[in-house]
Amino acid sequence: MSTLTSCSYTSTLNLGFRVRPNYNNNNNNNRIDFAARFQLYRKHSNVLCSSSSSSSVRDLLLLKNYMHKRILGLDFGGFKCCASGGGGGDNNDGGGEDNDVAKDSNLATISPDDRVVGGEADSEKQVVQPPSSVSSRPPTISPLEPYNNFQVDSFKLMELLGPEKVDPVDVKLIKDKLFGYSTFWVTKEEPFGDLGEGILFLGNLRGNREAVFAKLQSQLAEIMGDKYNLFMVEEPNSEDPDPRGGPRVSFGMLRKEVSDPGPTTLWQYVIALLLFVLTIGSSVELGIASQINRLPPEVVKYFTDPNAIEPPDMQLLYPFVDAALPLAYGVLGVQLFHEVGHFLVAFPKKVKLSIPFFIPNITLGSFGAITQFKSILPDRKTKVDISLAGPFAGAALSLSMFAVGLLLSSKPDAAADMVQVPSTLFQGSLLLGLISRATLGYAAMHGATVSIHPLVIAGWCGLTTSAFNMLPVGCLDGGRVVQGAFGKDALVGFGLTTYSLLGFGVLGGPLSLPWGLYVLICQRTPEKPCLNDVTEVGTWRRTAVTVAIFLVVLILLPVWDELAEELGIGLVTTF
């Protein structure tokens, strides 16, 4: 249970109410001094006495209410309130009001229900006696404030540590200089940004949104230099569209040091290098694992038997490293092509990207890479183009390796380079399994193992990784393109659907759980808005995004048992 902190109140408050007719004349000696009453109220009404008796606290609350009504009231009903220690008194009172009230040194508590009946002005002085519940000693008081000192200090510390807010002086200047009848008529202001550090101007657009936005950006640079960034966003909670077509727009303003992404630090470079080394190791491990039919039995038993405890001699794996390198090169090449695609499109658009942070994975070699935008994107078209370029480049190389590997696997001359993989591998992807079945035939696919070229594995892993990164959720490449092509609201719907499909194992098979955890930990937050976050991206970009999402579903959707048995993909065991 929390209690109010009490403090000692050393000065005694003496209130006296003397009877005085309410003269309605211009005599300055009989007029009530409102300024004096206001000073008296400010001196004493901000303090509330605290006592162990609940009735005392109630009486003192009534006192404060009464003082608020009587001392600051314009009509005192024919009497005056005075306090001890207040300085000179009324000249017409002879001895002064302070001297009269000083005769009683106790605190007089007055209830609003009490009434003072008047007599003659100076001859009779009546002081209302305090109730029996109030002690004659000066009570201990506690200030009634909305927050205590600790809370106020905490708020101040949060303001100091939080992002710097927009200067109110600049807001007024910008409203006067930028907005108006010819551009955007401001009707309301709201906080803008993740922590409300910016200002969102709501109002009515007075022209073409792109032309108005370009004009406002130019004028803002002339007035404020590079101090602020101006964003054109959809008006939140807007019920009606803009009369000129499209959604209603608002303009948000943030300080540049708050809205601009920070530079890449030295520690980030170190972490990126360590992750890249681990990705090389996981890619080599994938190449070694693909030769499972050639590995020593004790090594295979250790990695496949959960009851195996004693690790084998890892030197036995050294002869298989050279044979694993081509597959490792293929997996790493897909990831590097993916990142090169991002940078090639971002460079002419003057968008800076961070160094990629590769994510190792022992099943696919790599889960891809995390690449951050280090510049504010100018519009949604730029977001879609840069985000699509990476998966398209990686998928193009992966599909090429997959196709060449299948062609080599169908030729008897390349039998020496083949590796044996379980036929159930081709049940992991509906699209890739059907392509493999059409190329290799029923006889090759309907068995416990299938002989394929290592390029097939490299292409398969590359296409699967590209498909995972194109899932429409968070700030993955797929989430960015959906947010840019269809808006943030559409991304919320796509994201919930994707999380549900991953949670039930519908997409990705056994990799759905680790991939879902990776997204939740590292990639769940949507990308920040562009400077122009309203202008549409066009029909052909939306079509490309729709086709890409459809292909992603076909790649990550497993082949169900009935179809696999009918097509002869693997040996389906029935009980």
Side-chain angles (χ1 to χ4, degrees):
M1 179 181 294
S2 60
T3 58
L4 289 175
T5 305
S6 60
C7 60
S8 177
Y9 187 63
T10 57
S11 62
T12 303
L13 174 63
N14 295 319
L15 294 177
F17 291 88
R18 64 169 61 243
V19 179
R20 179 182 300 276
N22 188 14
Y23 298 105
N24 187 15
N25 53 36
N26 295 327
N27 188 356
N28 293 333
N29 294 330
N30 295 326
R31 295 178 61 185
I32 299 175
D33 190 350
F34 177 79
R37 295 199 309 273
F38 180 73
Q39 293 297 329
L40 175 63
Y41 175 76
R42 290 193 59 184
K43 181 177 180 181
H44 299 292
S45 65
N46 289 331
V47 180
L48 181 66
C49 300
S50 65
S51 174
S52 59
S53 173
S54 61
S55 61
S56 299
V57 176
R58 182 176 63 255
D59 293 337
L60 293 171
L61 284 171
L62 294 175
L63 168 61
K64 181 175 179 178
N65 185 37
Y66 184 81
M67 291 171 61
H68 177 75
K69 292 180 179 179
R70 289 297 187 184
I71 298 177
L72 289 184
L74 294 179
D75 186 5
F76 268 58
F79 56 86
K80 232 179 190 181
C81 174
C82 53
S84 62
D90 193 342
N91 294 333
N92 294 335
D93 293 339
E97 293 180 357
D98 291 347
N99 295 331
D100 296 334
V101 178
K103 295 178 181 179
D104 188 354
S105 60
N106 294 332
L107 175 66
T109 305
I110 299 94
S111 171
D113 295 331
D114 296 336
R115 297 291 184 267
V116 180
V117 181
E120 292 301 327
D122 296 332
S123 60
E124 296 181 17
K125 306 179 182 63
Q126 297 181 3
V127 179
V128 179
Q129 297 299 325
S132 58
S133 61
V134 180
S135 173
S136 61
R137 295 183 306 167
T140 305
I141 61 94
S142 175
L144 289 183
E145 298 177 356
Y147 306 101
N148 57 33
N149 292 335
F150 176 76
Q151 290 173 319
V152 172
D153 293 341
S154 300
F155 294 153
K156 292 180 179 179
L157 180 61
M158 291 175 62
E159 288 186 0
L160 291 175
L161 297 179
E164 191 170 357
K165 296 185 177 182
V166 176
D167 192 346
V169 178
D170 294 341
V171 173
K172 186 178 183 305
L173 179 61
I174 289 172
K175 286 180 61 178
D176 296 338
K177 298 293 185 181
L178 257 69
F179 302 110
Y181 288 104
S182 61
T183 54
F184 186 79
W185 182 255
V186 178
T187 60
K188 187 179 179 182
E189 299 174 18
E190 291 182 357
F192 181 68
D194 296 334
L195 300 176
E197 64 274 21
I199 296 294
L200 181 65
F201 299 99
L202 290 82
N204 301 316
L205 190 66
R206 299 302 177 91
N208 178 268
R209 58 171 57 93
E210 286 78 14
V212 169
F213 182 58
K215 182 178 180 180
L216 292 177
Q217 281 186 311
S218 176
Q219 292 179 348
L220 180 64
E222 295 177 359
I223 298 174
M224 293 294 173
D226 59 350
K227 187 177 181 180
Y228 294 104
N229 281 323
L230 188 66
F231 297 81
M232 183 171 66
V233 298
E234 294 186 14
E235 181 178 315
N237 304 322
S238 177
E239 298 179 356
D240 300 326
D242 192 281
R244 294 176 175 83
R248 295 181 63 88
V249 301
S250 302
F251 294 93
M253 190 171 65
L254 290 170
R255 298 182 71 95
K256 268 191 172 294
E257 57 268 26
V258 174
S259 54
D260 285 349
T264 304
T265 63
L266 178 61
W267 280 109
Q268 289 177 324
Y269 282 108
V270 173
I271 293 174
L273 179 60
L274 292 177
L275 289 175
F276 183 68
V277 172
L278 292 176
T279 303
I280 293 176
S282 63
S283 300
V284 174
E285 183 271 338
L286 176 63
I288 295 176
S290 65
Q291 308 174 59
I292 190 171
N293 60 320
R294 303 177 183 175
L295 297 177
E298 55 270 25
V299 176
V300 176
K301 182 180 179 181
Y302 177 75
F303 286 103
T304 57
D305 188 1
N307 297 322
I309 300 177
E310 184 178 356
D313 186 6
M314 292 302 169
Q315 293 182 355
L316 298 174
L317 297 177
Y318 290 164
F320 302 93
V321 173
D322 291 339
L325 290 180
L327 179 56
Y329 292 153
V331 173
L332 290 174
V334 171
Q335 304 308 319
L336 292 177
F337 257 65
H338 183 115
E339 300 307 315
V340 168
H342 284 315
F343 280 91
L344 287 179
V345 178
F347 180 76
K349 297 180 179 294
K350 299 180 180 179
V351 175
K352 298 180 181 179
L353 301 177
S354 72
I355 187 172
F357 298 87
F358 291 94
I359 308 299
N361 179 262
I362 60 175
T363 304
L364 297 175
S366 174
F367 263 157
I370 300 175
T371 307
Q372 301 170 337
F373 290 115
K374 289 299 181 180
S375 301
I376 301 180
L377 299 178
D379 50 41
R380 289 163 59 175
K381 293 180 181 179
T382 304
K383 179 183 290 186
V384 172
D385 293 344
I386 297 176
S387 301
L388 273 181
F392 275 15
L397 179 60
S398 300
L399 184 60
S400 300
M401 292 190 296
F402 183 71
V404 172
L406 287 177
L407 293 177
L408 294 176
S409 300
S410 60
K411 293 182 179 181
D413 299 340
D417 299 328
M418 300 294 183
V419 294
Q420 299 290 326
V421 297
S423 59
T424 55
L425 171 68
F426 296 92
Q427 298 178 12
S429 172
L430 178 61
L431 179 61
L432 302 183
L434 293 176
I435 294 175
S436 302
R437 167 66 177 81
T439 304
L440 299 179
Y442 179 86
M445 298 289 293
H446 192 65
T449 59
V450 181
S451 297
I452 57 174
H453 195 274
L455 284 178
V456 175
I457 302 177
W460 185 293
C461 293
L463 286 171
T464 304
T465 301
S466 299
F468 271 123
N469 281 274
M470 271 299 294
L471 285 174
V473 61
C475 59
L476 295 174
D477 290 328
R480 289 170 174 172
V481 298
V482 168
Q483 183 180 0
F486 303 104
K488 192 173 182 179
D489 293 338
L491 176 60
V492 174
F494 275 99
L496 292 176
T497 304
T498 303
Y499 281 129
S500 300
L501 295 178
L502 290 175
F504 289 109
V506 177
L507 295 178
L511 291 175
S512 60
L513 180 59
W515 179 260
L517 293 176
Y518 159 69
V519 174
L520 285 174
I521 295 173
C522 302
Q523 301 274 61
R524 68 179 183 274
T525 306
E527 193 62 48
K528 292 184 177 180
C530 310
L531 292 176
N532 180 0
D533 207 49
V534 178
T535 303
E536 302 292 343
V537 299
T539 303
W540 74 267
R541 285 185 174 88
R542 287 189 170 187
T543 303
V545 172
T546 304
V547 172
I549 297 299
F550 178 72
L551 293 176
V552 164
V553 174
L554 292 181
I555 291 175
L556 297 180
L557 189 66
V559 180
W560 52 93
D561 294 341
E562 293 79 5
L563 181 61
E565 184 178 6
E566 182 178 352
L567 296 177
I569 301 178
L571 293 176
V572 180
T573 304
T574 59
F575 297 94

